[in-house]
Amino acid sequence: MKKLFDRLNYKRQCWLAVGIVLFGFILARLTGWSIASNVGWVLAGLMFIVHPIVPESAKWRYAGDEKKMARDSRIAGAVVIVVGLITRFGV
């Protein structure tokens, strides 16, 4: 599992998150389970909490402070989870 996270850069992780959310929407549409789209949002947010990463172009803002970078990425993941928990997507 560690090797999988080593290969994830910011771009790949964002595309993976978009894929997970889209899969949730498609699954919700095909099955009629509206909760599937919310689960996709929560899983995408959890991915950024478990593996916090920022884009290379934004690292200069943090001056190499890894703790701040991880903190801000985790906050963004938590916001995505909150969106998934409080938003009701109708199918």
Side-chain angles (χ1 to χ4, degrees):
M1 192 62 137
K2 180 74 173 162
K3 288 185 179 186
L4 173 68
F5 286 135
D6 288 340
R7 291 185 292 193
L8 279 178
N9 58 14
Y10 183 75
K11 184 177 180 180
R12 287 181 186 162
Q13 186 162 337
C14 283
W15 279 113
L16 184 60
V18 168
I20 290 171
V21 171
L22 284 176
F23 179 74
F25 278 118
I26 291 169
L27 186 65
R29 184 70 178 158
L30 293 177
T31 61
W33 304 330
S34 59
I35 193 78
S37 58
N38 297 79
V39 170
W41 280 95
V42 170
L43 289 176
L46 278 174
M47 187 169 49
F48 278 94
I49 289 176
V50 171
H51 186 251
I53 193 167
V54 296
E56 291 291 326
S57 61
K59 288 188 177 182
W60 66 271
R61 293 181 190 166
Y62 296 98
D65 191 358
E66 296 288 331
K67 286 185 177 182
K68 286 184 180 179
M69 287 189 277
R71 180 200 63 199
D72 289 351
S73 181
R74 287 186 172 121
I75 289 172
V79 168
V80 172
I81 289 173
V82 168
V83 167
L85 292 176
I86 65 173
T87 306
R88 181 174 173 186
F89 297 103
V91 177

